[in-house]
Amino acid sequence: MAGTNFSLYSENKNQELTPVIILVGPQLGENIGTTARAMLNCGFTELRIVNPREGWPNEKAVKASSGADIVIDNVKLFSDLESAVMDLKKVYATTARTRDMVKPVQTAELAAQEMFNLYANQERVGIVFGPEKAGLTNADISLCDMIIDIPLNPAFKSLNLAQAVLLVCYQFFQQQNAQDLTKSEITIRQSDRLAEKQEVFNFFERLEDKLDRNGFLRVTEKKEVMMNNIRNLFLKAELTHQEVKTLHGIIESIEKM
Amino acid sequence: MAGTNFSLYSENKNQELTPVIILVGPQLGENIGTTARAMLNCGFTELRIVNPREGWPNEKAVKASSGADIVIDNVKLFSDLESAVMDLKKVYATTARTRDMVKPVQTAELAAQEMFNLYANQERVGIVFGPEKAGLTNADISLCDMIIDIPLNPAFKSLNLAQAVLLVCYQFFQQQNAQDLTKSEITIRQSDRLAEKQEVFNFFERLEDKLDRNGFLRVTEKKEVMMNNIRNLFLKAELTHQEVKTLHGIIESIEKM
């Protein structure tokens, strides 16, 4: 299996700790294959796919992956982005377009530094890429903590999918190369650990349910935008496990009024 | 023409000073096209080709370039590498394989720093890529000053041509961007403006009042710590004016229950 004897991971047997790449609605199997190849070039092995248009498994993906079997064979399929990121701690959206959204934006280089620090602390992160042409929807972006911007020639920014994946993964790989893993021993207190997405999304659902029943989201055409904004607001806070519990407590308390 | 109003070059009208990409014996027109696209993504416009197997011009190259016309239209053809690099000051060979040669090797990142310094001094440089499968011959490498090594997963190092070009060009582009940081002005739309502290603190007071009355903060000795934690939670989000209003709306809605 390519990748398993990858020297950078020799001290860290659990290769699943590397960031997860998540493709939402990829249109062509070939692009999934070239993505897998680019991932493995940089030592990434975990690929999750939400609703691939051509279905899965896909022979064109296998061929285009040029032998990145360890990635292709372990692809996990999901029916929506939410379920694809449940077990992760921080999720980055990649988009070339400016969105009318309140969401922090980082360059790929700075994001890679941050991801590497989270990785060194065994916090799992994910990087989300949208469909080839349309890119991620605002609803999908609203589930993510941060937007990664890849600085490119502003007059010619359009990258193909695998090239975008390659640049983002390579930045992470450079961080690994630059740092001696044995030296980074940043410990985080258990109580400070970031919440899993499942905890955060549970809170969102509960909040949405309450707001729905109370008429806060009564204007149907505005509901999606409002919930996107609310998710963006709380995701910016990078909530810890304890903080999500506190938010539940606040809701319960106000309800009792 | 895409690229000509690329702002990074605004101070330097002579765009030909950017490094030249030289493909030796590329086999497929499609790979020339994707190379042109990757180049222009990073603001590179000058492509020279030595003996393209399918000849030139090439319709498949045009199609695969996704509109990088400025690169494709200005391709220069050569019959050997020697004549293709005659006017350059320093030439870098890219190769994934270890060669039995006495030739300095640099990582792509360090080479990009060096290239950028040469570029800033108006010294022209070139970066040479070999045929897709075979790579550069020792004879061709011997014409170059230095070998660029792209650090990658040692168990899966094989990049396709355009991806190798992209990584090398992107490293150069990052050098340019780093020099250009002082000029980057981040503008924030009015709706995105951060809330004034007064707005945020008003929200905190209102929330504290409600939680107090509902018994959430009833354990007096814990009250201060809890409110600190709640303030920390919301301050991490760097709330905008609009988001504070949304939070007030949420409290009102839940209260109505």
Side-chain angles (χ1 to χ4, degrees), chain A residues 166-219:
Chain A
L166 178 68
L167 286 184
V168 172
C169 292
Y170 188 67
Q171 299 271 358
F172 181 87
F173 185 82
Q174 282 185 300
Q175 291 294 321
Q176 279 186 311
N177 259 5
Q179 315 218 11
D180 182 357
L181 273 183
T182 57
K183 285 181 195 159
S184 69
E185 280 180 33
I186 308 157
T187 53
I188 289 185
R189 290 191 307 282
Q190 195 61 34
S191 62
D192 289 352
R193 292 197 82 85
L194 292 177
E196 287 187 4
K197 289 301 169 200
Q198 179 147 27
E199 299 172 70
V200 180
F201 293 168
N202 281 346
F203 167 71
F204 288 161
E205 272 170 37
R206 185 178 182 191
L207 184 60
E208 180 171 355
D209 178 58
K210 300 226 175 297
L211 296 177
D212 233 352
R213 280 192 279 150
N214 294 1
F216 188 73
L217 304 170
R218 67 192 171 279
V219 185

Side-chain angles (χ1 to χ4, degrees), chain B residues 9-242:
Chain B
Y9 296 110
S10 58
E11 292 172 307
N12 180 353
K13 303 293 186 213
N14 185 358
Q15 65 180 3
E16 290 197 15
L17 281 172
T18 55
V20 178
I21 299 298
I22 302 141
L23 302 183
V24 177
Q27 300 180 281
L28 301 175
E30 191 187 347
N31 289 334
I32 298 171
T34 51
T35 291
R37 179 181 184 180
M39 285 172 59
L40 193 54
N41 282 146
C42 302
F44 284 58
T45 53
E46 190 170 350
L47 177 60
R48 301 179 183 180
I49 310 180
V50 177
N51 293 329
R53 195 184 64 180
E54 295 181 345
W56 194 260
N58 185 308
E59 266 314 304
K60 280 185 255 170
V62 175
K63 195 174 168 211
S65 76
S66 300
D69 302 342
I70 190 175
V71 180
I72 294 290
D73 293 348
N74 294 300
V75 161
K76 294 193 192 90
L77 283 187
F78 295 87
S79 58
D80 54 51
L81 179 58
E82 198 173 339
S83 49
V85 299
M86 282 295 193
D87 58 326
L88 305 179
K89 297 291 183 72
K90 186 156 187 175
V91 179
Y92 299 78
T94 56
T95 171
R97 288 177 291 164
T98 315
R99 306 276 178 165
D100 186 19
M101 279 200 155
V102 181
K103 183 77 82 182
V105 179
Q106 268 186 342
T107 63
E109 189 174 8
L110 290 176
Q113 286 172 18
E114 188 178 85
M115 278 188 265
F116 183 79
N117 290 335
L118 291 163
Y119 161 82
N121 286 313
Q122 313 212 340
E123 305 278 22
R124 304 214 65 202
V125 304
I127 314 165
V128 185
F129 297 81
E132 288 87 337
K133 281 183 184 155
L136 290 169
T137 63
N138 280 357
D140 281 341
I141 293 174
S142 77
L143 294 172
C144 302
D145 297 285
M146 183 169 280
I147 293 172
I148 295 182
D149 177 60
I150 306 175
L152 289 169
N153 175 355
F156 196 77
K157 253 181 110 78
S158 141
L159 283 174
N160 79 25
L161 182 58
Q163 282 173 320
V165 171
L166 179 67
L167 286 183
V168 172
C169 292
Y170 189 68
Q171 299 272 357
F172 182 87
F173 184 82
Q174 281 186 300
Q175 293 293 321
Q176 279 186 311
N177 255 6
Q179 314 285 330
D180 212 53
L181 273 184
T182 52
K183 290 177 196 162
S184 71
E185 286 176 34
I186 303 158
T187 54
I188 292 185
R189 291 187 305 281
Q190 193 63 31
S191 63
D192 290 353
R193 292 198 85 82
L194 291 179
E196 287 184 7
K197 288 303 167 200
Q198 180 153 22
E199 299 172 73
V200 180
F201 294 167
N202 281 347
F203 167 71
F204 288 161
E205 272 171 37
R206 183 179 185 190
L207 184 60
E208 180 171 354
D209 177 58
K210 299 225 176 296
L211 296 178
D212 232 354
R213 279 193 277 151
N214 294 1
F216 188 71
L217 303 170
R218 67 191 171 283
V219 185
T220 317
E221 60 268 35
K222 284 191 182 169
K223 179 178 165 178
E224 194 185 325
V225 173
M226 289 183 78
M227 277 311 299
N228 286 347
N229 289 343
I230 289 170
R231 279 189 290 265
N232 286 339
L233 183 169
F234 284 105
L235 284 174
K236 275 197 294 174
E238 302 192 27
L239 298 166
T240 65
H241 172 72
Q242 182 55 50

